[in-house]
Amino acid sequence: MTQVDTETELSTISDQGNASKFSFGVLQFPGSNSDQDCVNAIEVLGHEAHYVWHKEESLGHLDAVLVPGGFSYGDYLRAGAIARFSPVMRALADFAENGGLVLGVCNGFQILCEAGLLPGALILNRSLQFRSEFVHLSTVNSGTPFTKAIPADQLMRVPIAHGEGCYFADGSTLNEMESHGQILWKYATAQGDLEDHANPNGSVHGIAGVCNKAGNVAALMPHPERACQEAIGSADGQWIFRSLIEHLKDAK
Amino acid sequence: MMVPVRFEWQIMKVKIIITPKKAVLDPQGQAVLNALEHMGYDGVKDVHVGRFLELELSGDKASMESRIEEACHRFLSNPVIEDYRVEWEE
Amino acid sequence: MMVPVRFEWQIMKVKIIITPKKAVLDPQGQAVLNALEHMGYDGVKDVHVGRFLELELSGDKASMESRIEEACHRFLSNPVIEDYRVEWEE
Amino acid sequence: MSDPKITPELIRQHNLTDEEYQLILKQLGREPNITELGIFSVMWSEHCSYKNTRSLLKGFPTRSSNVLVPAGEENAGVIDIGDGLAVAFKIESHNHPSAVEPFQGATTGVGGIIRDIFTMGARPICAVNSLRFGKLDSPEVRRLFRGVVAGIGHYGNCFGIPTVAGEVYFDESYEGNPLVNAFSLGVLRHEQIARGAAQGIGNPVFYVGPATGRDGLAGAAFASQDLTEESAEQQRGAVQVGDPFMEKLCMEACLELLATGAVAGIQDMGAAGLTCSTCETAARGGTGIEIELDKVPQRGPGMSPYEIMLSESQERMLIIVHKGREDDVKRIFDKWDLPWAEIGFVTDTGQMVVKHHGEVVADLPAAKLADEAPIYHREAIEPEYLKETRGLDLHSTQDTTDVEGDLHALMAWPTIASKNWVYRQYDYTVRNGTMVHPGSDAAVIRVKPDSLPVLSEDSPNRDVIPPEKYLAMSVDGNGAYVYLDPYEGGKIAVAEAARNLACSGAVPLGTTDNLNFGNPHNPELFWQLKEAVRGLADACTYFEAPVTGGNVSLYNQNPKGAIDPTPTVAMVGLIEDPSHITTQWFKNEGDVILLIGESLDSDDPYQGLGGSAYLKVRHGLKKGLPPRCDLTVEKNIHNALRGWIAQGAIQSAHDCSEGGLAVALGECCISGESARHTPHLIGAEIQLKRAEQDRLDALLFGETQGRIIISVPSVFVGKITGQAEVMDIPVEKIGTVGGKTLSIGVDKHQFDWDLSKLHDAWFNSIDQIMES
Ligand SMILES: Nc1ncnc2c1ncn2[C@@H]1O[C@H](COP(=O)(O)OP(=O)(O)O)[C@@H](O)[C@H]1O
Ligand SMILES: [Mg+2]
């Protein structure tokens, strides 16, 4: 496990000035509650973030979209089930269809699965309880826009906070996902081992985050946006956002 | 302002039962089973826990039937993890 | 050696439907109703969301019946805010 | 529908005494009707009127140069934290509803306190909880505990507010009558303080939030009765269900609306719902109010005026709007898809007038209802039981012969054991503000610009970016101490909260307290209350932490008797600089461990063992006198500690509370945690001195007050001991950090604990009880 000083590298990013600022959209559904944390994370990294209200029918010009955590529509019926019918979700589907980068976190993961933009589904934690704690994430595929800046062997210590985060997909879907490199992150021990006791919710194969086949839509249950400053416990979540930023830069 | 209803629609009730697919983990069912065993209810062999919805509808039954089917498939259940069954009642 | 069972236990299924009491707020039902309305399912007048349990039992039906009633009351439902109904099936 | 006749029976059912009814007749000059009787009954319940406690509460210090809105004036007090920013915070109980339905009782408790905070115009940024249950070996207690924790978690998690601290005690006295006290804190700019007054004659009155149902009918009156099995059964129809999703929307909409300047007054509908909110706003405004119940959104058909007025349906607000600004309400509440209704207007009559189908169903003097409830000065008699508990002779219990076993037993005792089973169900990271998570002496939250409520377009402060602020908070209250000596116990509750803040680097700003006591008609129980309040008041005065608000919950008893008298004290403090934030666990091998404070109080005949966890766990006794709390010494120590923290000399600071020195040392070694299944274990080598008359158990497990364990890089030791001597503060070097064990030497004895075993006993104890 390598320790890289994220704080110093962060300053190099912010030092680049306004010229290279990217614009992130953060969707806001009724009941979203980590929307502000997403904006905070993007601003910490020196880029711009804008809220996009769920009733909007277009996204405007954005470089990437974040679908935040929370309890959209109270998580009634199923987490994400109601939100995915919001007007903004049609615009999001078009954005994704055209190759736009979309990252979902927690409730955002649930919404993207419900919307069919990601495979699988999230069910009740095997403990049947809400779980709020820090976990370690191991990156399985580092060749994606969401993982490219994460150094090899870098574990990320990030918090989880969810009641329905047990990832499920059937066997054939999983095989297909594996062959396309769609599994991005798994829960790991502090030593980086993929052991069952590191898995906080019972997710199949310890999966914490996945992406679509095209590789431009991804989501994870843990909250990297709540781990972008040492002051609040960890800055490891930056690696994911820095990957996005790097990718946007490369694409320019 | 509410416009008074002109002619009598049928008032129907429909029950929708949504259960986890067999291949999907049912931690709730397992927990209930364990708890029942623990409490000495030893004849219980298996438990599944799902969701139950009761809808009150007004309208024409035939067209409602297909719409409810559609709602179940699109929205009320998640076909990746759940099966559903619809029971009509007058 | 196992002694063969003398008389047949019945294998039964019982369904238990647990719904919020009428007087108690059902925010979930309300949310689903609103969502259905938004999605254009306008014939839906009311929605209640509850839980569904399916138990597989083996044993003697008469004694099982009273035990299941008891389990429903004590444990499976929350009588303070929920009603339940038991449906037997063979 | 004809109204029932007002009979003595009906009056009694409304918990009104004959004298109270006579007073109503006098105030009205006529007989009330049933709706009016219901309104009086809730407004004059203890919950709303504090009729039994108001005279005692006068003893609390409520002012300081920082207090912007003092206790009692509004829904919550407000305190200045500098740079134009302020905090609003309060604690409130939901004990009886939680006994009836633990999950919903707890959720609605959290929902209620959050509403109190955003009603002040503040954005709630964290929640804290203080809980008491019976002993966990009872399945019923486990059911209540499980339900309450899940409910608190659910509300905060869904609402999106971090639940950052709390405390849980288990004791048989709370069996059947759990205590569920919920605290919330919000932040705002001075200019954003909102008032709950119905101002401006002719201004329209809006109802916002979900429809009114028959929920929690007479809940406020219910909270003011003894809880018998019968009443619990009867009240079951009254369960309210919390909807955090709705409240989240309601808060966002209210804060947005407040920023438009359209609001003349705002008040939540908590206990006694529409009744309390209408007559209190009118009383505060010195105005009257008239509402038409037909316009109130209703969940079911056929609700009577009585039911509508007394319903406690949750997540509702009453908003008085400047005439002509109605459209702002409609626009914003429509944006959030929230129901709203214009239900009445402000009048100049001083009367609260309620109409139903155009007919007047209540016409009452608002100010009298709200402010002129009868006040009682109850009789107080020192309880008999104290003779027995004070009769404890320490010599009748043998000194320990199994120190290692003692510590294991104490660390695994649910009251002392880690509460991770609880707070792992609480989202404590949402909003990116939590700097010290649950698990250290006090939680620390940062207030950043985006923590604040939206600012109005025309505010002169629009371009001012406020600096970050750092707040610490802790909630404390040891019922056993209060039971054994209410005055001293009250003082200790405050001193411990202040000490926890000091350990985290904070200076106290203010206090909010919840008085959980038994039936005030019982003179012995009233004596407990009176003495405890005196202790709380003295200590709050001493620590310059004025009481900004709180809550009284009386009638906490089960069929076996009253609970241990339990004031819970939540204190909020300010940390000047983020580098001062300090946590309780040891950090570095080689750091020197110092004990601040006298290791044993030689004037205490019980050597710190009276009312201690040790006596309880190892000898089954709740006896003796609790340790004495010397406020002067205590405050001196806190000041000194903060000074050393500011000098950068301190790596960790942890106070000694339940379980004494040995438990505190154990916690310093094992309570650090970096992630799931990743504890941070670090050993310590300790050598203690003992005077001849000191008992070994007292030295290790006695709960002598005013003690703090700090770890310090060796270069700072001389400086600290030197300064301590000047300040007349006892500081003793007791060991060094490092190694794989906790080892404590006393004289020639040597005791060793394997850290992973100690951690397992402490960390997993509650989990094992709850999940097996
Ligand atoms: N109900 C709870 N909710 C959240 N945190 C809790 C709860 N109970 C205990 N904690 C946390 O566990 C830690 C230890 O609590 P406690 O033993 O009461 O500490 P102390 O003795 O220092 O007051 C604290 O950080 C506290 O905030
Ligand atoms: Mg402490």
Side-chain angles (χ1 to χ4, degrees):
Chain A
M1 197 171 102
T2 39
Q3 272 301 346
V4 179
D5 185 352
T6 37
E7 297 280 354
T8 30
E9 303 215 353
L10 159 67
S11 51
T12 51
I13 291 182
S14 347
D15 284 344
Q16 288 165 348
N18 291 350
S20 59
K21 271 196 182 178
F22 292 109
S23 178
F24 287 74
V26 177
L27 304 191
Q28 265 187 322
F29 300 95
S32 293
N33 65 30
S34 221
D35 45 347
Q36 192 178 325
D37 303 340
C38 285
V39 170
N40 180 238
I42 296 302
E43 287 177 354
V44 162
L45 283 154
H47 291 264
E48 275 171 14
H50 309 275
Y51 293 113
V52 183
W53 187 237
H54 68 114
K55 289 178 186 169
E56 295 296 336
E57 286 174 4
S58 98
L59 292 173
H61 172 75
L62 292 172
D63 294 303
V65 177
L66 306 179
V67 190
F71 282 65
S72 58
Y73 291 94
D75 271 4
Y76 291 128
L77 191 63
R78 288 182 313 279
I82 301 180
R84 77 106 155 164
F85 290 101
S86 287
V88 77
M89 288 302 289
R90 240 167 276 144
L92 185 76
D94 291 343
F95 181 78
E97 181 71 20
N98 293 324
L101 288 184
V102 178
L103 177 68
V105 172
C106 198
N107 195 225
F109 192 176
Q110 295 160 338
I111 294 170
L112 291 172
C113 286
E114 282 283 338
L117 291 172
L118 288 174
L122 293 141
I123 62 174
L124 210 54
N125 293 350
R126 81 182 136 184
S127 63
L128 303 179
Q129 284 173 353
F130 193 92
R131 274 292 179 277
S132 165
E133 54 195 346
F134 277 77
V135 297
H136 289 102
L137 289 184
S138 161
T139 302
V140 180
N141 176 356
S142 51
T144 76
F146 307 92
T147 53
K148 64 194 328 180
I150 307 173
D153 298 332
Q154 170 74 45
L155 287 179
M156 293 182 290
R157 200 174 68 83
V158 290
I160 59 164
H162 59 246
E164 296 174 41
C166 174
Y167 185 73
F168 172 83
D170 63 32
S172 63
T173 309
L174 282 172
N175 285 339
E176 206 187 311
M177 288 170 72
E178 235 150 81
S179 65
H180 290 95
Q182 286 173 255
I183 295 162
L184 302 189
W185 298 286
K186 290 186 174 185
Y187 299 106
T189 64
Q191 289 69 43
D193 300 323
L194 305 177
E195 282 173 23
D196 187 56
H197 73 256
N199 181 343
N201 52 32
S203 289
V204 58
H205 300 343
I207 292 174
V210 304
C211 69
N212 64 350
K213 212 178 279 177
N216 65 319
V217 178
L220 70 169
M221 283 314 292
H223 286 279
E225 83 286 12
R226 298 187 193 172
C228 286
Q229 282 177 295
E230 287 297 346
I232 49 170
S234 170
D236 291 350
Q238 283 195 358
W239 294 117
I240 293 178
F241 297 104
R242 297 181 57 208
S243 298
L244 282 162
I245 291 161
E246 201 167 285
H247 184 80
L248 290 171
K249 253 185 231 154
D250 293 348
K252 253 195 172 168
Chain B
M1 262 294 291
M2 278 266 300
V3 183
V5 179
R6 283 303 159 91
F7 73 104
E8 289 273 292
W9 289 106
Q10 258 179 295
I11 293 285
M12 294 160 286
K13 272 194 183 169
V14 60
K15 294 183 176 144
I16 300 162
I17 289 163
I18 299 160
T19 45
K21 275 196 194 322
K22 283 276 135 61
V24 177
L25 227 55
D26 178 11
Q28 271 181 298
Q30 197 55 45
V32 172
L33 177 62
N34 293 345
L36 284 171
E37 275 172 3
H38 207 89
M39 293 163 78
Y41 294 95
D42 43 359
V44 185
K45 298 299 164 213
D46 207 357
V47 180
H48 299 282
V49 178
R51 241 196 317 274
F52 172 83
L53 278 85
E54 190 167 53
L55 275 57
E56 271 169 46
L57 308 171
S58 85
D60 149 58
K61 179 157 174 184
S63 87
M64 271 294 165
E65 271 181 355
S66 67
R67 307 204 64 198
I68 291 297
E69 274 298 327
E70 184 203 52
C72 282
H73 190 79
R74 269 181 72 203
F75 168 54
L76 298 174
S77 81
N78 179 346
V80 176
I81 43 173
E82 295 169 330
D83 293 322
Y84 68 88
R85 155 161 117 242
V86 181
E87 290 174 10
W88 290 85
E89 169 183 308
E90 248 116 288
Chain C
M1 255 295 290
M2 278 266 299
V3 183
V5 180
R6 282 304 159 90
F7 76 106
E8 288 274 291
W9 285 108
Q10 266 177 291
I11 293 286
M12 294 159 286
K13 272 195 183 169
V14 60
K15 293 181 178 148
I16 300 164
I17 288 163
I18 299 162
T19 47
K21 273 194 201 309
K22 280 277 137 58
V24 170
L25 183 72
D26 176 14
Q28 177 151 238
Q30 193 59 43
V32 173
L33 175 63
N34 293 344
L36 284 168
E37 273 171 4
H38 261 127
M39 294 161 74
Y41 294 97
D42 43 0
V44 184
K45 298 297 166 211
D46 209 356
V47 179
H48 298 282
V49 181
R51 290 179 294 133
F52 172 82
L53 276 84
E54 191 167 51
L55 275 58
E56 269 168 47
L57 309 170
S58 85
D60 148 57
K61 178 158 175 186
S63 87
M64 270 295 166
E65 271 181 354
S66 68
R67 309 203 65 197
I68 290 298
E69 274 297 328
E70 185 203 49
C72 282
H73 189 79
R74 273 183 60 201
F75 166 63
L76 298 175
S77 83
N78 180 350
V80 180
I81 47 174
E82 295 173 328
D83 290 326
Y84 67 86
R85 156 161 118 244
V86 181
E87 290 173 11
W88 290 86
E89 169 181 307
E90 250 117 285
Chain D
M1 199 167 43
S2 72
D3 275 358
K5 223 177 105 54
I6 308 297
T7 59
E9 172 64 16
L10 200 60
I11 293 166
R12 220 176 9 259
Q13 278 170 3
H14 281 81
N15 284 314
L16 291 163
T17 63
D18 284 346
E19 299 77 58
E20 284 167 349
Y21 188 67
Q22 291 309 317
L23 191 60
I24 292 173
L25 291 180
K26 207 170 120 213
Q27 284 197 358
L28 289 185
R30 62 176 167 84
E31 258 198 16
N33 63 31
I34 178 73
T35 304
E36 293 172 332
L37 187 73
I39 291 174
F40 270 106
S41 117
V42 293
M43 287 308 295
W44 287 6
S45 67
E46 180 63 31
H47 196 86
C48 294
S49 74
Y50 296 95
K51 60 188 171 191
N52 292 300
T53 47
R54 202 179 274 210
S55 56
L56 298 183
L57 301 180
K58 288 217 173 88
F60 281 142
T62 56
R63 308 262 170 178
S64 80
S65 53
N66 298 329
V67 173
L68 300 176
V69 177
E73 232 171 59
E74 298 280 345
N75 289 283
V78 179
I79 295 194
D80 184 14
I81 55 170
D83 297 293
L85 305 182
V87 290
F89 57 85
K90 192 173 160 191
I91 193 166
E92 194 154 273
S93 64
H94 235 208
N95 304 339
H96 288 180
S98 303
V100 175
E101 211 313 283
F103 183 91
Q104 297 298 348
T107 60
T108 49
V110 176
I113 193 64
I114 292 176
R115 274 196 304 284
D116 272 335
I117 300 309
F118 72 76
T119 301
M120 295 306 301
R123 177 177 274 281
I125 60 165
C126 67
V128 170
N129 61 109
S130 172
L131 311 175
R132 303 289 182 283
F133 299 92
K135 283 164 67 179
L136 279 179
D137 42 25
S138 142
E140 174 59 12
V141 170
R142 292 199 294 273
R143 184 184 75 86
L144 291 174
F145 180 41
R146 181 176 284 116
V148 165
V149 168
I152 289 175
H154 175 66
Y155 209 96
N157 300 345
C158 180
F159 185 87
I161 190 173
T163 304
V164 295
E167 53 163 7
V168 195
Y169 284 75
F170 303 93
D171 184 276
E172 53 274 21
S173 88
Y174 305 108
E175 192 127 6
N177 196 128
L179 302 185
V180 177
N181 293 178
F183 162 103
S184 180
L185 175 141
V187 291
L188 70 172
R189 299 170 185 84
H190 293 186
E191 64 185 286
Q192 292 179 309
I193 297 173
R195 298 287 178 166
Q199 279 162 347
I201 313 302
N203 275 344
V205 174
F206 278 81
Y207 168 117
V208 301
T212 296
R214 292 184 170 90
D215 314 319
L217 273 180
F222 169 45
S224 309
Q225 283 169 46
D226 284 1
L227 198 61
T228 61
E229 244 156 67
E230 203 185 325
S231 70
E233 198 63 45
Q234 274 172 10
Q235 293 291 344
R236 291 207 155 165
V239 170
Q240 315 146 35
V241 170
D243 184 358
F245 166 63
M246 184 59 85
E247 180 146 312
K248 157 92 174 156
L249 304 191
C250 200
M251 173 199 66
E252 296 293 354
C254 285
L255 293 181
E256 222 174 291
L257 182 63
L258 283 165
T260 66
V263 175
I266 180 167
Q267 168 84 16
D268 67 306
M269 296 191 215
L274 203 47
T275 292
C276 197
S277 56
T278 48
C279 86
E280 280 190 5
T281 47
R284 284 200 200 103
T287 54
I289 201 163
E290 181 173 324
I291 58 172
E292 169 53 78
L293 295 183
D294 293 352
K295 296 187 179 154
V296 172
Q298 290 161 47
R299 216 157 70 219
M303 286 185 74
S304 69
Y306 180 95
E307 290 172 320
I308 300 170
M309 287 306 289
L310 268 59
S311 159
E312 294 195 349
S313 291
Q314 300 288 301
E315 290 91 21
R316 302 175 302 162
M317 303 290 289
L318 192 80
I319 303 181
I320 294 117
V321 178
H322 292 298
K323 202 161 181 50
R325 302 293 300 271
E326 292 85 344
D327 282 347
D328 287 309
V329 182
K330 299 173 188 173
R331 175 175 53 81
I332 289 169
F333 280 79
D334 283 347
K335 170 187 163 190
W336 288 95
D337 292 323
L338 284 168
W340 53 265
E342 191 179 326
I343 63 167
F345 51 90
V346 178
T347 68
D348 60 0
T349 62
Q351 292 289 109
M352 164 198 189
V353 176
V354 181
K355 289 184 171 172
H356 190 230
H357 305 328
E359 254 171 62
V360 174
V361 292
D363 187 352
L364 302 169
K368 285 202 169 127
L369 250 181
D371 305 328
E372 291 177 31
I375 299 245
Y376 298 113
H377 300 270
R378 300 265 170 224
E379 189 188 3
I381 299 176
E382 187 173 298
E384 270 305 300
Y385 72 79
L386 287 175
K387 293 209 179 81
E388 201 229 319
T389 57
R390 284 176 192 154
L392 172 70
D393 175 11
L394 214 48
H395 297 296
S396 64
T397 62
Q398 277 246 314
D399 199 346
T400 178
T401 52
D402 178 17
V403 167
E404 275 141 2
D406 291 337
L407 184 58
H408 264 279
L410 282 168
M411 295 295 273
W413 192 48
T415 295
I416 287 178
S418 164
K419 303 304 181 297
N420 73 85
W421 182 87
V422 175
Y423 56 73
R424 76 184 187 199
Q425 298 182 55
Y426 299 162
D427 185 347
Y428 50 80
T429 55
V430 65
R431 302 193 64 79
N432 277 1
T434 316
M435 300 177 77
V436 177
H437 303 149
S440 193
D441 279 325
V444 179
I445 287 270
R446 63 174 176 180
V447 178
K448 41 191 176 60
D450 68 4
S451 310
L452 294 159
V454 271
L455 195 55
S456 80
E457 300 270 326
D458 47 19
S459 164
N461 293 322
R462 261 203 95 76
D463 300 321
V464 181
I465 297 175
E468 276 193 1
K469 297 280 175 183
Y470 310 94
L471 300 170
M473 57 208 90
S474 172
V475 60
D476 294 281
N478 181 323
Y481 289 172
V482 184
Y483 172 75
L484 297 173
D485 184 343
Y487 174 74
E488 211 60 26
K491 269 165 59 187
I492 290 176
V494 176
E496 183 174 352
R499 201 187 311 135
N500 281 328
L501 294 193
C503 286
S504 71
V507 185
L509 278 172
T511 308
T512 174
D513 67 296
N514 206 118
L515 302 171
N516 306 277
F517 285 77
N519 188 332
H521 297 269
N522 176 330
E524 295 195 338
L525 299 181
F526 193 73
W527 185 86
Q528 292 177 335
L529 178 59
K530 194 174 140 212
E531 285 298 293
V533 166
R534 198 165 63 82
L536 295 169
D538 282 358
C540 286
T541 306
Y542 211 84
F543 290 109
E544 295 161 85
V547 176
T548 64
N551 181 243
V552 176
S553 170
L554 305 181
Y555 308 93
N556 286 292
Q557 23 205 102
N558 59 32
K560 279 190 239 137
I563 60 162
D564 280 356
T566 310
T568 56
V569 174
M571 200 181 277
V572 177
L574 193 62
I575 301 177
E576 210 171 292
D577 186 286
S579 68
H580 299 177
I581 297 170
T582 305
T583 49
Q584 72 180 32
W585 41 87
F586 292 146
K587 309 285 184 306
N588 312 310
E589 302 240 346
D591 282 350
V592 174
I593 302 168
L594 301 178
L595 174 66
I596 312 180
E598 212 70 72
S599 69
L600 223 156
D601 174 359
S602 49
D603 292 337
D604 174 0
Y606 298 106
Q607 301 193 2
L609 287 175
S612 66
Y614 169 81
L615 270 198
K616 183 86 210 197
V617 174
R618 294 309 250 186
H619 297 279
L621 295 173
K622 192 191 286 177
K623 278 193 174 172
L625 280 170
R628 302 166 334 128
C629 172
D630 183 328
L631 295 173
T632 318
V633 169
E634 194 69 72
K635 191 172 169 186
N636 230 347
I637 287 175
H638 302 180
N639 285 337
L641 175 61
R642 276 188 293 264
W644 293 324
I645 286 175
Q647 292 170 30
I650 308 264
Q651 289 296 321
S652 73
H654 184 30
D655 69 321
C656 299
S657 56
E658 285 83 12
L661 183 60
V663 164
L665 284 168
E667 289 170 346
C668 290
C669 293
I670 62 175
S671 60
E673 195 196 20
S674 68
R676 179 182 173 79
H677 294 293
T678 319
H680 172 74
L681 307 178
I682 183 163
E685 229 165 288
I686 306 291
Q687 188 63 46
L688 299 176
K689 290 195 280 288
R690 165 161 78 133
E692 202 186 327
Q693 69 279 11
D694 295 352
R695 289 171 63 115
L696 185 57
D697 51 12
L699 182 67
L700 292 172
F701 309 113
E703 299 177 7
T704 297
Q705 294 295 296
R707 292 180 302 165
I708 294 165
I709 297 165
I710 57 176
S711 66
V712 173
S714 53
V715 291
F716 289 110
V717 173
K719 194 168 172 187
I720 288 180
T721 47
Q723 291 177 355
E725 208 175 307
V726 176
M727 290 183 280
D728 197 21
I729 288 172
V731 168
E732 188 187 340
K733 176 179 166 185
I734 59 169
T736 45
V737 177
K740 298 225 171 326
T741 59
L742 167 63
S743 64
I744 302 182
V746 185
D747 312 332
K748 293 177 295 298
H749 307 287
Q750 183 67 31
F751 310 106
D752 288 289
W753 292 270
D754 178 89
L755 292 181
S756 52
K757 281 196 194 126
L758 207 56
H759 178 266
D760 181 51
W762 172 79
F763 192 80
N764 297 319
S765 168
I766 294 180
D767 182 272
Q768 263 156 22
I769 297 170
M770 295 306 292
E771 305 301 333
S772 66

